[in-house]
Amino acid sequence: MDSYEIIKYIADSKRRTPLKVFLKGNLNEIDFTGIDFYGDGKWGILFCEYDVFNKFLEKNKQSIEKYRIETDRRNSAIPLADLTKYNARIEPGAIIREMVEIGDNCVIMMGAVLNIGSVIGARTMIDMNVVVGGRAIVGKDSHIGAGTVLAGVVEPPNAEPVIIGDNVLIGANAVVLEGIKVGNGAVVAAGSVVVRDVEKNTVVAGVPAKVIKMVDDKTRSKTVLIDELRKL
C-alpha cells in the first residue's frame, strides 16, 4: 500500500469506541433486541458502541442498578487484524493492525507493534517490543531484535518506507530511520541508529551507524537463525 491509500482508508473509516459493559439490575425488564447481550435477569455483559450504550442507558436507567464500562480505544479508525488469517506464531500482547502482511512461519513476539501497511517476509522473527512502523517492509529469514524501531511513513505521503532485506539481523534497541534500505545479509549492531542505507553483507554499528566490517564466517556463526523456533 502507498500512503495515499492508507490515508484514504483511515479518512473513510467509521470511528469506533467499542465497549464491554457489565450490568446488574432488573434486566428482565429490558429489551435487548439488536444488542449483543449475554446474561440473565439479574446480571449480564453487553457489547456495543459508546453512542449506542448512551442511548440504551438513558432508555433503561430505571432498570439498571449498577454498570461498569471497559474499553481499550476511542474513535479508533483502524481495526486490529484477524490473527487467524496468518500462518505464523503470534504471541500474546502483540498488536497487529489491519492491512498488515505476515509471511508463513514468522514469529511475532510479545509486545511487538505492527502498523498498517507493514509487510513481514516468511520465517522472520519480530522480537519483543519491536515497533514496525506504517509501510515498513522486512524481508525473509530475518531477525529484528527486541526494542528495535523501524520508522513508519504514513505521513508525509511522499516519504519512502524502511526496507529491510532478506537474512538481515538487527540487534536490540536499534533505530532505522524512514526511507533507509538495509541490504540482504547485513547485520546492524544493538543500539545503532541507522541514518544511511546499509549495503548487503556489511556490519554496521554506532550512532550514527557506520560500516565496521564485512560479514564473515565468524559473524555468520554468531547470527545464525534457528529453524526450530519458526516451526508451527
Side-chain angles (χ1 to χ4, degrees):
M1 300 181 70
D2 63 31
S3 289
Y4 293 99
E5 290 176 300
I6 293 174
I7 291 168
K8 186 178 187 306
Y9 175 81
I10 294 172
D12 293 345
S13 294
K14 180 181 179 180
R15 303 301 190 260
R16 299 191 64 235
T17 305
L19 306 181
K20 179 180 181 181
V21 185
F22 298 86
L23 298 174
K24 180 181 179 182
N26 297 319
L27 305 186
N28 282 328
E29 301 176 355
I30 298 176
D31 180 8
F32 289 100
T33 303
I35 297 180
D36 196 12
F37 172 76
Y38 303 86
D40 56 27
K42 295 182 179 180
W43 69 273
I45 301 174
L46 183 66
F47 297 90
C48 63
E49 286 291 318
Y50 178 78
D51 56 348
V52 172
F53 180 71
N54 281 342
K55 295 176 183 177
F56 171 87
L57 181 62
E58 181 64 25
K59 180 180 179 181
N60 298 288
K61 58 185 177 182
Q62 299 301 323
S63 301
I64 298 174
E65 180 183 336
K66 293 176 66 176
Y67 68 90
R68 177 173 177 172
I69 294 173
E70 291 185 0
T71 187
D72 62 357
R73 71 202 77 180
R74 177 67 170 145
N75 292 322
S76 178
I78 307 173
L80 297 179
D82 174 8
L83 301 186
T84 62
K85 70 182 181 180
Y86 300 120
N87 184 35
R89 176 159 67 90
I90 301 173
E91 295 296 344
I95 299 175
I96 302 171
R97 303 186 90 175
E98 189 58 270
M99 297 188 178
V100 169
E101 296 181 26
I102 300 176
D104 290 346
N105 298 92
C106 284
V107 178
I108 314 296
M109 294 296 287
M110 296 82 73
V113 177
L114 279 61
N115 204 359
I116 185 170
S118 59
V119 178
I120 311 299
R123 298 176 300 280
T124 283
M125 179 180 286
I126 305 297
D127 216 330
M128 293 184 293
N129 300 318
V130 169
V131 174
V132 181
R135 299 178 57 219
I137 298 171
V138 182
K140 299 178 293 186
D141 299 299
S142 294
H143 183 114
I144 310 302
T148 289
V149 175
L150 306 182
V153 288
V154 174
E155 60 177 3
N158 60 347
E160 292 295 319
V162 168
I163 300 178
I164 309 297
D166 300 337
N167 299 292
V168 171
L169 176 70
I170 298 183
N173 297 313
V175 176
V176 182
L177 298 187
E178 60 270 12
I180 297 300
K181 297 176 176 59
V182 178
N184 295 341
V187 175
V188 177
S192 298
V193 177
V194 184
V195 300
R196 300 182 184 87
D197 289 353
V198 177
E199 297 295 324
K200 66 179 182 180
N201 298 319
T202 56
V203 181
V204 300
V207 181
K210 298 179 180 179
V211 177
I212 58 174
K213 68 174 188 175
M214 300 299 293
V215 173
D216 53 23
D217 290 341
K218 183 177 181 180
T219 305
R220 291 189 182 93
S221 69
K222 291 182 177 181
T223 59
V224 64
L225 303 183
I226 308 300
D227 290 339
E228 283 73 12
L229 295 176
R230 290 152 176 80
K231 290 182 179 179
L232 300 181

